Amino acid sequence: MKVAFTTLGCRVNQYETEAMTEKFIKSGYEVVHFDEQSDVYVINTCTVTNMGDKKSRQMIGRARRSNPNAVIAVAGCYSQIAPEKVAKIPGVDVVIGTRNKGEIVELVQKCMGEKKQIIHVDDVLRNNVFEELNIEEYQDKTRAFLKIQDGCNSFCSYCAIPFARGAVCSKSPDKIIEEVNRLASHGFKEIILSGIHISSYGVDLEGNWDLMKVLEEVDKVDGIERVRIGSISPKFFTEDVIIRISKLKKLCPHFHLSLQSGCDETLKRMNRHYTTDEYNNVVEGLRNSVKDVSITTDIIVGFPGETKEEFNTTYKFLEKIKLSKMHIFKYSPREGTKAAEMKEQVDGNIKEERSSRLIELNKRLEKEFMSRFINTKLKVLYEEKVRDKEEFYEGYTPNYIKVMSNSKESIEGKILETEIIGVEEEISIGNIVEQCKN
């Protein structure tokens, strides 16, 4: 039996897909590419934007066309938010929410045996228990995602994720360290600690555990050379946290600090609990304490009520703080959220124009940041061969600059000292000068 996967959305989804993949392999399935004919297709969905929902439906349609007789299982945030809607999509056989992914093999096999649709979606708002989806054997042998937290208590006015993921729940710190040690023994160079709202890690635990304490414990694990954290709230970075972070040896100098808007009035309507001054102070604190730090973010344009003046305020703020990369999203109404009911929804053409302006700003600032490192030597973890380019490999520096270098021998999974000799669009060109770690 063959199974194929596709994953939409965040790093947590990527981790959970990896865990589901392992469960199928242990049950005797062969994993194939999603575009190949398969007996089972698993679509791990996202519902952050309307585009996420649309892409999820497109993937379901693609699977159905590949093999009309296959079992199609839809999991994740979209199926959690709208299980009945997903179940009505032609070809869908199994619908799983965000907290039932550990049961996917059994549910698929039950569907095959009974030859009827199965919907298995729990009420996550009543379930705040962390679902253990430990992974024994990763398919990617270079870096590993480790989900340590789920759920969100913030209820930003535009976001449906609290309804899809439920309340904050945290992985036991002992199990985190146990899994990190296992990953190290398997030869991983880098791990990425991920969560839906990772800065809230530990609020549901006893014993004064928080994300900072986890980072300090993970830093002590032998074998792992790099640690990253997923998207994180600027509220996490107090003066004390920044001082403690600067002392960690393995934490990469790259932080994806969620911003969403550079205008305080817009941030209030979004129900974000910080101001632009507070955000700027965090950025400055990190830049003063962490060498070569890269700070990236997400920005939403066209939020309800965003005037021309508010957008210009955002633009000027972003131009001033010069982040190394920005992901730009056009506001997308999510049913059931406060923002969807707000008056003064912004016209689509205006959203498009504002998005284009910020995308151009991002290109300029990203190139400016990457160019700072030309003629310097950085350690690059090479992850894979470049498609359509023989003898070229690509990977990332600790501060998350993507680098492409020439090598006649395979360098996948190796950390190599590399001189940056140029910058092309969204990638730096490197020249390998010395092997640092095998």
Side-chain angles (χ1 to χ4, degrees):
M1 298 286 283
K2 296 179 179 179
V3 62
F5 294 83
T6 190
T7 308
L8 302 168
C10 65
R11 287 171 170 173
V12 170
N13 266 10
Q14 293 177 46
Y15 176 87
E16 291 172 347
T17 294
E18 190 84 37
M20 290 189 288
T21 300
E22 183 170 288
K23 290 183 181 297
F24 273 99
I25 291 172
K26 286 185 174 181
S27 298
Y29 284 76
E30 176 190 353
V31 179
V32 298
H33 192 274
F34 193 78
D35 288 328
E36 296 180 41
Q37 191 172 68
S38 182
D39 301 293
V40 179
Y41 293 92
V42 180
I43 296 101
N44 198 2
T45 63
C46 174
T47 194
V48 168
T49 65
N50 281 332
M51 187 57 69
D53 292 354
K54 182 180 178 181
K55 286 181 179 178
S56 299
R57 293 191 295 270
Q58 288 173 344
M59 293 299 104
I60 294 167
R62 186 186 297 181
R64 191 175 66 248
R65 289 189 295 273
S66 293
N67 183 3
N69 298 316
V71 171
I72 298 176
V74 184
C77 292
Y78 183 33
S79 51
Q80 180 71 47
I81 289 286
E84 296 84 4
K85 189 181 291 186
V86 171
K88 290 178 182 177
I89 299 174
V92 172
D93 299 291
V94 179
V95 181
I96 307 174
T98 55
R99 299 280 175 95
N100 311 105
K101 294 175 180 178
E103 304 170 49
I104 188 165
V105 177
E106 291 82 0
L107 293 171
V108 164
Q109 291 176 341
K110 183 179 179 182
C111 174
M112 288 176 174
E114 298 180 357
K115 300 200 180 300
K116 67 178 183 180
Q117 188 182 64
I118 293 175
I119 302 175
H120 190 54
V121 179
D122 287 346
D123 182 357
V124 294
L125 296 179
R126 296 176 182 272
N127 178 5
N128 62 349
V129 178
F130 186 85
E131 182 183 20
E132 295 290 344
L133 281 171
N134 293 332
I135 302 169
E136 299 290 337
E137 292 288 341
Y138 275 79
Q139 305 306 302
D140 178 353
K141 291 298 183 183
T142 305
R143 57 160 71 173
F145 294 102
L146 175 52
K147 174 185 167 186
I148 67 169
Q149 181 273 335
D150 206 340
C152 181
N153 299 340
S154 294
F155 289 94
C156 298
S157 63
Y158 55 82
C159 185
I161 293 303
F163 305 103
R165 288 282 178 172
V168 167
C169 52
S170 307
K171 188 180 183 76
S172 157
D174 290 341
K175 290 182 178 179
I176 292 174
I177 302 305
E178 180 184 317
E179 192 162 354
V180 171
N181 275 292
R182 184 166 62 246
L183 292 170
S185 69
H186 286 192
F188 284 94
K189 306 289 186 183
E190 178 176 309
I191 60 168
I192 302 169
L193 303 180
S194 60
I196 296 300
H197 192 258
I198 197 169
S199 59
S200 63
Y201 175 88
V203 299
D204 58 321
L205 299 178
E206 297 180 357
N208 298 318
W209 277 94
D210 59 13
L211 178 60
M212 190 63 239
K213 193 171 178 181
V214 168
L215 290 171
E216 289 171 335
E217 291 302 308
V218 170
D219 198 63
K220 300 173 186 175
V221 175
D222 291 334
I224 297 294
E225 297 179 38
R226 291 183 177 183
V227 178
R228 296 189 190 273
I229 48 178
S231 178
I232 191 164
S233 168
K235 298 288 285 184
F236 171 70
F237 291 96
T238 62
E239 288 185 20
D240 174 65
V241 163
I242 291 175
I243 291 170
R244 290 163 71 184
I245 272 178
S246 68
K247 297 177 181 178
L248 297 179
K249 297 177 182 179
K250 298 175 182 178
L251 185 64
C252 290
H254 167 235
F255 303 101
H256 189 81
L257 286 188
S258 184
L259 176 58
Q260 309 303 357
S261 175
C263 174
D264 289 340
E265 287 75 16
T266 311
L267 288 173
K268 284 179 185 177
R269 291 197 304 279
M270 289 179 167
N271 197 33
R272 304 291 291 180
H273 302 290
Y274 51 81
T275 65
T276 52
D277 278 346
E278 289 171 333
Y279 188 95
N280 183 68
N281 289 340
V282 170
V283 170
E284 290 303 311
L286 287 169
R287 285 173 173 166
N288 290 334
S289 302
V290 182
K291 185 176 182 292
D292 294 336
V293 68
S294 167
I295 299 171
T296 58
T297 199
D298 298 320
I299 300 293
I300 297 173
V301 297
F303 187 77
E306 183 186 66
T307 63
K308 182 178 179 181
E309 290 73 24
E310 286 186 359
F311 173 75
N312 286 337
T313 298
T314 289
Y315 189 95
K316 290 174 183 176
F317 179 73
L318 295 172
E319 198 172 35
K320 180 185 77 172
I321 62 172
K322 296 182 182 295
L323 302 180
S324 54
K325 189 177 182 66
M326 303 181 293
H327 299 279
I328 313 301
F329 299 91
K330 296 187 282 284
Y331 168 72
S332 176
R334 311 307 295 135
E335 186 178 347
T337 62
K338 291 183 178 180
E341 301 171 2
M342 290 179 180
K343 297 179 180 178
E344 300 179 331
Q345 298 286 328
V346 178
D347 179 78
N349 292 327
I350 295 175
K351 291 181 191 177
E352 188 65 42
E353 186 270 332
R354 291 175 183 174
S355 173
S356 296
R357 284 187 63 191
L358 287 186
I359 289 171
E360 287 303 313
L361 176 63
N362 172 64
K363 287 179 181 177
R364 175 160 57 87
L365 295 178
E366 186 177 15
K367 187 172 183 180
E368 186 178 307
F369 176 77
M370 293 166 67
S371 296
R372 282 172 42 195
F373 298 93
I374 293 176
N375 297 325
T376 64
K377 294 175 183 177
L378 301 172
K379 294 179 181 180
V380 178
L381 172 55
Y382 288 95
E383 297 182 7
E384 60 186 357
K385 241 183 172 181
V386 179
R387 288 182 183 178
D388 305 322
K389 285 198 175 203
E390 283 191 32
E391 299 183 354
F392 275 88
Y393 292 80
E394 62 186 21
Y396 289 89
T397 64
N399 58 355
Y400 214 62
I401 295 174
K402 192 174 185 179
V403 178
M404 177 176 69
S405 300
N406 177 264
S407 176
K408 291 183 178 180
E409 62 181 54
S410 175
I411 54 174
E412 288 184 31
K414 293 184 178 180
I415 297 178
L416 304 175
E417 191 168 31
T418 303
E419 184 177 8
I420 307 302
I421 59 175
V423 172
E424 293 183 359
E425 189 172 347
E426 297 186 339
I427 194 166
S428 291
I429 309 303
N431 180 37
I432 298 168
V433 293
E434 183 182 354
Q435 183 168 315
C436 301
K437 299 285 183 182
N438 287 320

